[in-house]
Amino acid sequence: MPTAAPVAPRTQAPPSAHAPAEVTVVDPALVKRAVKAAALGNAMEWFDFGVYSYIAVTLGKVFFPSGNPTAQLLSTFGAFAAAFLIRPLGGMVFGPLGDRIGRQKVLALTMIMMAAGTFAIGLIPSYATIGVGAPVLLLLARLVQGFSTGGEYAGASTFIAEYSPDKKRGFLGSWLEFGTLAGYIGGAGLVTLMTALLSSEDLLSWGWRIPFLIAGPMGLIGLYLRMKLEETPAFAAELAKAHKDEQSRPKVRLREMVTGQWKALLLCMGLVLVFNVTDYMLLSYMPSYLTSELKYDETHGLLVVLAVMALMMCVQPFAGALTDRVGRRPVIAAGCAGFLLLSIPALLLIRQGSLWAIGLGMAALGLLLVCFTASMPSALPALFPTRVRYGSLSIGFNISVSVFGGTTPLVVTALIGATGNMMMPAYYMMAAAVVGGIAVWFMSESAGKPLPGSLPAVESSSPSATQ
């Protein structure tokens, strides 16, 4: 019975003289398994970020007692940002490791660490119980999470990109961010339900621990899914090449990942900047902005953002398919132009305060954000060749996220506190859009093309390939 090899790429004769001599034939069943495991695993990792962001006000009271609510929120987001500051270190460890021992093994390891860090937060005693030890332990748990996440997004997007046929890479990659949104919605929905059902005293006393404790078993599920996967055909080819050269593993130096790819790294950092500043502004900061800065009802504010994320999930796969038809560059450019022109009107609508105005403003920002969430999982891996893809993407992605994305809630809260200008979120998104637009101008179109360093990838049409 013929089967499609899950590890090594298969070749077939070209249909014409103009076709490439070899192609990678991917099994649709294996592709679906790879996308599902990467997306579900990503959802479980981002479940924590959704919970942490939506319950930030309560966490501030638990771990950072103060008479000033703004100071509490700043301290909570400071611990949030600290996890992002260590992400480049995690990227520098896990990225090169993924290019040496394989994508699947490293993704399983990051899942274990993330689940452990998240579960640990739910066990930490409050400040009232152990004093300054509480915020210290919270910070340590967040650092474990941040270190593990340093290898997560680059690995998951690389995994899906290297498994996908060239003509469907945008559509299949978009499911990674579908998983991210699902994780956010799971975390946000649970916090919203708890906020509605529990009294403020119960939520502050013990209720806030529930989402973090749930994340432990969820992480085990994600680990199981990832352990069932095979290596990508692209990495299998690199491994076969190393064996041919009498090496046990591909040998890639850190210098090759950085100095050898500096132009691609700069493009990556610019694209990730606009992607993550707008992402964290909308999904992480806005719930607290509505509650703490605009004094909006907490439950209704959470429900509005939850609805926006559900809308984004519905649009996400279609937008991913659109990038396969019209290209990544036009879709990303549209998102940058939209944030540059519409950030101020959208925030003015949100500040108007009525439910319809907040919903309309948030929906506009959410649909613009889809331009990035649908494009980046396929556009970013295509910036680098297979040999250094995981490592270079991890380094560029995490430096940009750490400096600009993860610090967005902290920086914007501080800017509002320093200037009193409630329009700072709009100005910050507009500045990010300018940087993203410059990056789009210089990037090459990758839609429908093979990944650098890899053979063209096509989808198998043989029914027996999935048997």
Side-chain angles (χ1 to χ4, degrees):
M1 183 183 299
T3 59
V7 178
R10 296 173 58 206
T11 60
Q12 62 183 24
S16 71
H18 302 289
E22 290 184 333
V23 296
T24 299
V25 181
V26 294
D27 182 345
L30 291 176
V31 172
K32 290 179 181 179
R33 283 174 51 196
V35 171
K36 183 187 299 183
L40 287 178
N42 208 50
M44 294 182 190
E45 295 222 4
W46 285 94
F47 174 88
D48 164 70
F49 287 95
V51 168
Y52 195 95
S53 301
Y54 282 80
I55 206 167
V57 174
T58 300
L59 291 181
K61 297 175 183 178
V62 172
F63 291 103
F64 305 98
S66 169
N68 187 336
T70 301
Q72 288 180 337
L73 193 60
L74 275 171
S75 299
T76 304
F77 280 136
F80 184 79
F84 287 86
L85 296 179
I86 201 173
R87 282 183 65 157
L89 181 58
M92 293 175 67
V93 172
F94 290 121
L97 197 61
D99 284 326
R100 181 170 176 79
I101 69 171
R103 286 70 162 115
Q104 182 265 346
K105 294 181 179 66
V106 174
L107 284 173
L109 180 58
T110 61
M111 177 62 69
I112 295 172
M113 293 183 64
M114 186 68 180
T118 304
F119 187 76
I121 292 178
L123 301 176
I124 299 174
S126 67
Y127 185 92
T129 303
I130 63 171
V132 72
V136 170
L137 290 174
L138 174 65
L139 179 61
L140 289 175
R142 290 292 299 158
L143 291 178
V144 171
Q145 290 175 317
F147 186 79
S148 64
T149 308
E152 171 59 27
Y153 187 89
S157 58
T158 293
F159 199 87
I160 293 178
E162 291 182 350
Y163 251 117
S164 301
D166 296 336
K167 293 184 179 181
K168 291 185 177 181
R169 189 167 290 117
F171 170 71
L172 293 171
S174 70
W175 289 97
L176 180 64
E177 288 295 333
F178 185 95
T180 296
L181 290 168
Y184 265 108
I185 287 180
L190 182 56
V191 172
T192 302
L193 181 63
M194 290 167 51
T195 303
L197 296 180
L198 297 179
S199 66
S200 299
E201 292 76 16
D202 287 341
L203 187 64
L204 191 62
S205 175
W206 54 268
W208 66 270
R209 299 181 184 275
I210 294 176
F212 295 104
L213 297 178
I214 288 176
M218 289 177 63
L220 293 177
I221 296 173
L223 175 63
Y224 171 78
L225 292 173
R226 290 186 172 182
M227 291 296 290
K228 298 287 286 184
L229 292 174
E230 302 288 349
E231 255 314 335
T232 69
F235 181 78
E238 286 292 318
L239 195 60
K241 181 180 178 182
H243 287 159
K244 185 178 180 181
D245 295 337
E246 299 183 351
Q247 300 173 8
S248 60
R249 295 289 179 183
K251 293 183 178 180
V252 186
R253 292 181 173 87
L254 187 61
R255 176 191 290 183
E256 183 181 351
M257 297 180 179
V258 179
T259 59
Q261 302 291 326
W262 68 270
K263 291 183 180 179
L265 278 172
L266 288 177
L267 288 177
C268 176
M269 291 172 66
L271 293 171
V272 172
L273 185 151
V274 65
F275 172 27
N276 278 269
V277 165
T278 51
D279 193 351
Y280 285 102
M281 186 75 75
L282 180 63
L283 302 184
S284 296
Y285 176 70
M286 276 300 167
S288 296
Y289 178 79
L290 292 173
T291 302
S292 299
E293 306 294 351
L294 301 185
K295 310 304 178 185
Y296 193 71
D297 175 74
E298 185 174 358
T299 301
H300 284 87
L302 292 174
L303 287 173
V304 168
V305 181
L306 196 62
V308 170
M309 288 190 288
L311 173 64
M312 292 174 62
M313 285 183 66
C314 294
V315 177
Q316 180 76 8
F318 299 100
L322 180 65
T323 71
D324 286 323
R325 290 196 293 270
V326 305
R328 326 287 190 226
R329 293 181 74 235
V331 176
I332 298 173
C336 292
F339 274 108
L340 187 61
L341 298 175
L342 299 178
S343 289
I344 290 178
L347 195 62
L348 288 174
L349 274 174
I350 292 170
R351 288 191 60 199
Q352 196 271 342
S354 64
L355 183 60
W356 72 267
I358 292 176
L360 185 60
M362 294 288 287
L365 294 177
L367 291 175
L368 290 174
L369 180 57
V370 169
C371 294
F372 305 143
T373 59
S375 305
M376 296 297 181
S378 53
L380 296 177
L383 294 173
F384 306 100
T386 302
R387 178 176 170 81
V388 297
R389 181 170 296 124
Y390 198 156
S392 295
L393 180 52
S394 291
I395 293 169
F397 185 90
N398 288 298
I399 289 176
S400 189
V401 171
S402 299
V403 177
F404 303 105
T407 58
T408 294
L410 178 65
V411 171
V412 175
T413 301
L415 286 174
I416 291 175
T419 65
N421 190 333
M422 303 296 287
M423 294 300 294
M424 278 298 171
Y427 301 149
Y428 206 67
M429 288 187 289
M430 292 169 68
V434 171
V435 176
I438 295 173
V440 173
W441 179 267
F442 286 101
M443 71 178 287
S444 300
E445 183 56 68
S446 60
K449 300 178 181 179
L451 292 171
S454 297
L455 294 172
V458 299
E459 192 171 54
S460 171
S461 58
S462 172
S464 63
T466 61
Q467 293 178 4

